[in-house]
């Protein structure tokens, strides 16, 4: 008998939400039979039993294909009544009522309510205990239907079902003699493991019992009394059970043996029934970078690759079998054996295993594959380039399975495919439930590697992707491989094969690089061999994941070139999903480790490179189809002057994307598209969005290529932002932001791009004038689409400052007015974007001296700092930091009018807001303390003298001190130390005499000696070396404390447990040495005894580091050095001169000792560098 396949039902709620109106006779049929059943009373007579039998048969045979319009509670009540009429000593009736439970719950997709479930569970459990063994199969089917998605309501029955001697535990045991009963018991257990979100799940002990039962089932070989189909169904149920435990139960596989055992059985099940392949797996897979044993015999060295990888299969001719329809929700064993064929869709073809393998192995040099002139990339495209006899046998009428072999063999192959699919689905759930770093320990067991000479190709996920006859299984294997590759960037980053390794062993980096190469090879083979559009889409998505994560900057060239040339024809594929994924892959190529020289060359290739000689394969790329014939000519000529080489050779990818976005779709595939609106003349929306994303990637990574099309892209953006579809508008705004950012990068002070290769400022002005006269202002005002408004704000903030000042005055006023107005928006996304944009504008040279604009911006930012949204406050704090940077820049201008005109009350407000923000979350705090430091630096003597400022200055400095000391994010503490250094730069502040002086120095000395982060230590040492007068360091005791702390910090400059901090050791020592020399050059006579004492204790250590400091410029081991070597020895000489002058006045022995110490250092240094003149100067002194 067939087992229940409730897990396949589309709904896991009660009955369907809105069933179609059923025919009256169906509705009435169930009610009539139900009423007759309810009228019966328990009766042990023969006639009563016969009547019950007939009623049950009628209920089972009733037509429920439309759902019957029957309420779930009516079904549950009927089943309870049916069970009450059947005593447990009537085996035949128990069997019949079990069939009824299974049939009605399955066909009507009903989940029994808790009250009725309680009775029915008790009844079925008692039935298994009391009835003959021949009824167990039907009873277990009924039990499986009852517990389906009801596990949380069966808690009180779990000991009876899953206890040590529980029913399911016993019946699923290997000792169970009846294979069908064992299968049904495992099925029940799997259904128990299904969970409903929000409901309590199986307790951990029961989860472990089920997991072990499923694992044992998968590990056990097929018994002699079990037929192949039952064995397949048994494996399927066990796999579904484990998948449910991992998905709903959130079971964690923490033990290595447990995970290894599961992965071993999954790998074996992944290849179950694959023709010509029978692998033997160890019981447990252990994490290792070495290839895993797969039990296949070695291959002779002289064998070709195609022979080595070709499995032995029956070469009988295959014929098509007719698909058999089954009612929805039927059991898995009732499903059509041609399900896999149906997945392919009409018109596709499959080949037998021998044909498919020959196909793959005969196309190793596949990157130069020609495409037929028709541009069709399905079956015909794949078969045309090959002339082997195996290809000639492929026809569109062939199928996976044949009538000649009989229905049983075809059905068996279908079930074997489902086992493979189940194993892959379970593997996918396993991947999602374990950490990636754990998963990558098993990389070599599932990902192919280049085989050694004479060794067989290891079986992997790519074996299935290349050789499985079922397109659905191939798609599943590729989906799993994609999940493994997703997020693998850090793991793959160790790969390296740019040089030839000739060693006795293979380094891990070379092994990973070899695996990446093999993945490229296999996926490209799969690409040309595939005829199913769904599977083709998965192959391309998998390639995109690989490209996004592989470190091409550390690999030999040509990998991306092969992918690039191979994918080009698929952008014209008839299936829209294939076209979209092809664009996704191209986007991945131009965004991975950009800019790559290899990709730069690919983008500069002529339009026809790598394509068919027939223009029909890529009609968008022909010049006659270009979207702007006459008008674009002038724009292209104008922009060509900004091309790096002045070349007019068009970039085919940019032209393709522009065509996809703005041109009407072509007739060659317009009939088969999905995703485009009815009557739309354009490409489907997913295609257009993907094309816009590729353009954005190009603008970000290869701006030198995109800049040639600046004005054309501007027109595309205007067109997109003028459309009704908000998603198209949004992507247009994103592209505008990327182009704006690219222009800003070209004009940055540290830009390496020669001025003649930059886009001229006049062209940038022209570009932004078009944007601001187009739909951008309208997008900024579209309050019904806040995401679009926010993106438009981001785009507006990417205007080149040099171009902004040259914009027409009304456009400048428009930008500022829009931003200041949008700052009052109720939407947090818009408000955050506006706050950030204002923070950008306040740095513009043409605006930063405008007191009114700076004041308006400050008020807007202060208002945003009070917002409830953390994101808004974080952006506002960043902008406040920028605004205060502007104040500092304006201090350096000879004209003091800005400082005089800037409102003191506004300064007070800014200080108060910054103090409050410094108590906020780290995202806000880091910029709040930056702003505090700048504001305290900016304060003029006229401010400081006012009593109203005294208290706020004290509060501000206390806020900085507490931030320096707290255990916050290191960026926060670094900014706080930087801010403290800014405070010390203001000569008007009473540093040295104010009560907060000692607290500030205590905080900085604490950090410089003990902070775990060396960058924070460096910043605190820098702050300690900023005061320019001795009195600013306070008392002799305060000076001595600072000096001793710096010496201690120098001594501990290599004490760290974090390996990443070691690279900052040299910079830290340099900064501390500079601080010590600075203190020496300011020391008073009273400070010398303390300095002498420290040098007596730690002189050798200080001497060695000071010598290292003097030499470090020439040795190049100190990238963070602030001075040249000549400047360094000058500062030491100045310190020596200062100490010498003090000693001459006082005759202090401490001064003499310090002088000797410094002279000794300089002598050693100059002696080593060969500077005789300076040695003579020292000896004269």
């Amino acid at each position: 008998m067939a087992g229940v396949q409730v897990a396949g039902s589309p709904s896991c709620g009660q009955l369907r939400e809105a069933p179609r109106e059923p025919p009256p006779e169906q509705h009435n049929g169930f009610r009539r039979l139900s009423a007759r059943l309810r009228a019966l009373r328990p009766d042990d007579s023969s006639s009563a039993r016969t009547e019950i039998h007939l009623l049950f048969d009628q209920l089972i045979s009733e037509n429920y294909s439309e759902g019957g319009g029957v309420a779930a509670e009516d079904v549950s009540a009927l089943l309870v009544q049916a069970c009450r009429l059947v005593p447990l000593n009537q085996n035949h009736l128990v069997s019949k009522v079990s069939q009824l439970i299974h049939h009605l719950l399955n066909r009507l997709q009903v989940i029994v309510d808790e009250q009725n479930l309680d009775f029915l569970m008790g009844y079925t459990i008692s039935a298994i205990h009391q009835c003959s063994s021949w009824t167990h199969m039907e009873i277990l089917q009924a039990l499986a239907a009852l517990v389906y998605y009801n596990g949380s309501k069966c808690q009180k029955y779990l000991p009876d079902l899953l206890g040590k001697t529980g029913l399911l535990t016993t019946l699923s045991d290997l000792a169970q003699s009846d294979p069908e009963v064992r299968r049904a018991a495992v099925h029940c257990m799997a259904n128990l493991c299904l969970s409903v979100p929000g409901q309590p799940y199986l307790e951990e002990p029961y989860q472990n019992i089920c997991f072990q039962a499923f694992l044992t089932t998968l590990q056990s070989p097929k018994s002699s009394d079990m037929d192949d189909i039952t064995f397949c169904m048994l494996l399927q149920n066990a796999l579904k059970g484990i998948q449910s435990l991992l998905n709903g139960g959130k079971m964690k596989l923490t033990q290595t043996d447990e995970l290894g055992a599961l992965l071993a059985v999954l790998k074996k099940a992944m290849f179950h029934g694959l023709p010509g392949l029978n692998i033997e797996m160890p019981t447990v897979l252990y994490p290792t970078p070495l290839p895993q044993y797969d039990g296949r015999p070695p291959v002779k060295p002289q064998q070709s690759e195609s022979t080595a990888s070709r499995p032995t299969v029956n070469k009988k001719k295959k014929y098509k079998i007719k698909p058999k329809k089954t009612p929805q929700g039927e059991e898995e064993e009732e499903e059509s054996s041609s399900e896999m064929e149906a997945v392919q869709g009409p018109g596709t073809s499959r080949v037998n295993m021998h044909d498919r393998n020959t196909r793959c192995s005969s196309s190793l040099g596949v990157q130069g594959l020609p495409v037929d002139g028709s541009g069709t990339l399905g079956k015909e495209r794949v078969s045309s380039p090959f002339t082997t006899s195996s290809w000639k046998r492929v026809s569109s009428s062939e199928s996976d399975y044949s009538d000649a072999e009989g229905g049983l063999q075809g059905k068996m192959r279908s079930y074997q495919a489902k086992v493979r699919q189940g194993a892959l689905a379970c593997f996918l759930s396993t991947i999602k439930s374990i950490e990636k770093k754990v998963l990558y320990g098993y990389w070599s067991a599932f990902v192919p590697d280049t085989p050694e000479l004479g060794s067989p190709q290891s079986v992997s996920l790519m074996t299935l992707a290349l050789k499985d006859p079922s397109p659905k299984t191939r798609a599943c294997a590729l989906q799993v491989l994609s999940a493994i590759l997703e997020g693998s960037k850090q793991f793959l980053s160790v790969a390296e094969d740019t040089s030839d390794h000739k060693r006795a062993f293979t380094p891990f980096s070379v092994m990973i690089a070899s695996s990446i190469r093999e993945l490229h090879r296999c996926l490209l083979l799969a690409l040309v061999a595939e005829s199913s559009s769904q599977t083709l889409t998965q192959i391309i998505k998998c390639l995109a994941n690989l490209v996004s994560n592989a470190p091409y900057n550390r690999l030999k060239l040509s990998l991306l070139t092969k992918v690039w040339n191979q994918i080009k024809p698929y952008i014209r594929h008839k299936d829209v999903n294939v076209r979209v994924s092809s664009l996704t892959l191209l986007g991945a190529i131009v965004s991975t480790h950009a800019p790559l020289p290899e990709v730069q060359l690919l983008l500069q290739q002529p339009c026809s490179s790598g394509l068919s000689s027939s223009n029909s394969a890529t009609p968008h790329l022909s010049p006659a189809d270009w979207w702007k014939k006459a008008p674009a000519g002038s724009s292209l000529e104008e922009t060509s002057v900004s091309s790096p080489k002045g070349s007019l050779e068009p970039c085919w990818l940019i032209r393709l994307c522009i065509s996809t976005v703005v041109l009407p779709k072509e007739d060659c595939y317009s009939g088969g598209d999905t995703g485009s609106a009815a009557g739309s003349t354009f490409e489907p929306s997913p295609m257009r969005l993907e094309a816009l994303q590729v353009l954005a990637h190009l603008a970000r990574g290869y701006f030198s290529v995109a800049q040639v099309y600046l004005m054309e892209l501007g027109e595309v953006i205007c067109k997109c932002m003028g459309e009704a579809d908000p998603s198209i508008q949004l992507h247009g705004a994103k592209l505008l932001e990327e182009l704006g950012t690219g222009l800003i990068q070209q004009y940055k002070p540290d830009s390496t791009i020669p001025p003649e290769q930059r886009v001229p400022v006049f062209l940038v002005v022209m570009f932004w004038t078009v944007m601001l006269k187009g739909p951008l202002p309208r997008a900024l005002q579209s309050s019904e689409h806040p995401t679009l408004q926010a993106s438009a704000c981001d785009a507006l903030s990417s205007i080149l400052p040099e171009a902004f000042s040259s914009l027409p005055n009304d456009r400048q006023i428009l930008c500022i007015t829009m931003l200041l107005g949008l700052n009052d928006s109720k939407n947090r996304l818009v408000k955050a974007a506006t706050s950030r944009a204002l923070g950008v504008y306040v740095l513009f040279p043409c605006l930063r001296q405008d007191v009114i604009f700076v004041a308006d911006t400050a008020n807007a930012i202060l208002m945003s700092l009070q917002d409830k949204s953390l994101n808004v406050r974080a952006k506002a704090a960043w902008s406040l930091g920028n605004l205060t940077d502007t104040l500092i820049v304006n201090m350096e201008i000879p004209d003091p009018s800005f400082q005089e005109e800037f409102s003191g009350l506004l300064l007070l407000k800014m200080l108060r807001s910054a103090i409050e923000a410094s108590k906020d979350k780290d995202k806000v705090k880091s910029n709040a303390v930056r702003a505090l430091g700048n504001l305290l630096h900016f304060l003029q003597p006229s401010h400081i003298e006012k009593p109203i400022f005294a208290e706020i200055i004290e509060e501000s400095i206390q806020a900085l001190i507490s931030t320096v000391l707290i255990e916050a994010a290191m960026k926060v503490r670094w900014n706080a130390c930087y801010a403290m250094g800014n405070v010390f730069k203001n000569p008007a502040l009473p540093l040295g005499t104010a009560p907060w002086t000692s607290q500030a120095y205590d905080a900085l000395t604490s950090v410089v000696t003990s902070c775990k982060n060396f960058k924070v230590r460096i910043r605190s040492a820098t702050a300690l070396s900023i005061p320019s007068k001795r009195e600013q360091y306070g008392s002799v005791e305060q000076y001595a404390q600072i000096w001793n702390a710096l010496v201690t910090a120098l001594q501990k400059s290599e004490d760290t447990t974090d390996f990443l901090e070691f690279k900052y050791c040299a910079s830290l020592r340099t900064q501390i040495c500079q601080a010590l020399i600075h203190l020496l050059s300011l020391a008073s006579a009273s400070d010398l005894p303390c300095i002498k004492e420290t040098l007596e204790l730690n002189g050798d250590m200080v001497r060695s580091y000071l010598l290292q400091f003097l030499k470090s410029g020439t040795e190049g081991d100190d990238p963070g050095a602030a001075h040249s070597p000549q400047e360094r020895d000058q500062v030491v000489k100045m310190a020596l001169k200062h100490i010498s002058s003090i000693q001459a006045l006082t005759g202090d022995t401490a001064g003499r000792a310090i002088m000797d110490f410094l002279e000794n250092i300089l002598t050693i240094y100059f002696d080593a560098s060969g500077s005789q003149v300076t040695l003579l100067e020292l000896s004269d002194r």
Side-chain angles (χ1 to χ4, degrees), residues 198-235:
Q199 295 290 329
Y201 197 67
L202 286 181
E203 293 171 6
E204 194 174 335
Y206 293 121
Q207 285 190 38
N208 292 332
I209 288 168
C210 291
F211 179 79
Q212 287 305 322
F214 298 140
L215 196 60
T216 305
T217 301
L218 292 169
Q219 288 171 335
S220 308
K222 182 172 78 73
S223 57
S224 55
D225 59 343
M226 185 180 287
D227 64 81
D228 288 329
I229 288 180
T230 303
F231 184 56
C232 286
M233 290 161 59
L234 176 67
L235 295 178

Side-chain angles (χ1 to χ4, degrees), residues 768-820:
W768 278 108
T769 304
V770 171
M771 293 298 104
L772 290 168
K773 286 182 178 176
L776 182 57
R778 192 165 62 250
L780 285 163
Q781 293 172 341
S782 58
S783 54
E784 67 278 11
H785 299 301
T787 310
L788 175 61
Q789 270 187 301
S791 282
C793 283
D794 290 336
L796 206 60
S797 69
S798 66
I799 296 180
L800 181 70
E802 291 86 340
F804 185 85
S805 58
S806 301
L807 283 174
N809 200 42
D810 63 327
R811 298 299 99 184
Q812 292 187 31
I813 293 170
L814 173 73
C815 293
I816 294 167
T817 308
M818 283 279 199
L819 290 176
L820 288 171

Side-chain angles (χ1 to χ4, degrees), residues 296-310:
R296 297 199 303 164
V299 180
K300 294 179 183 177
Q302 64 268 28
Q303 276 187 286
S304 68
E305 183 173 333
S306 59
T307 312
S309 60
R310 182 183 301 137

Side-chain angles (χ1 to χ4, degrees), residues 898-918:
F898 183 91
Q899 291 98 302
E900 291 167 2
E901 291 175 26
F902 197 79
S903 165
L905 286 175
L906 183 55
L907 273 176
L908 272 174
K909 278 175 68 179
M910 290 166 72
L911 281 165
R912 287 197 182 100
S913 292
I915 291 168
E916 285 306 307
S918 71

Side-chain angles (χ1 to χ4, degrees), residues 505-518:
F505 66 95
T506 304
F508 182 69
S509 59
V510 176
M511 193 197 80
I512 296 298
S514 168
S515 186
I516 292 171
R517 276 199 310 274
E518 185 65 7

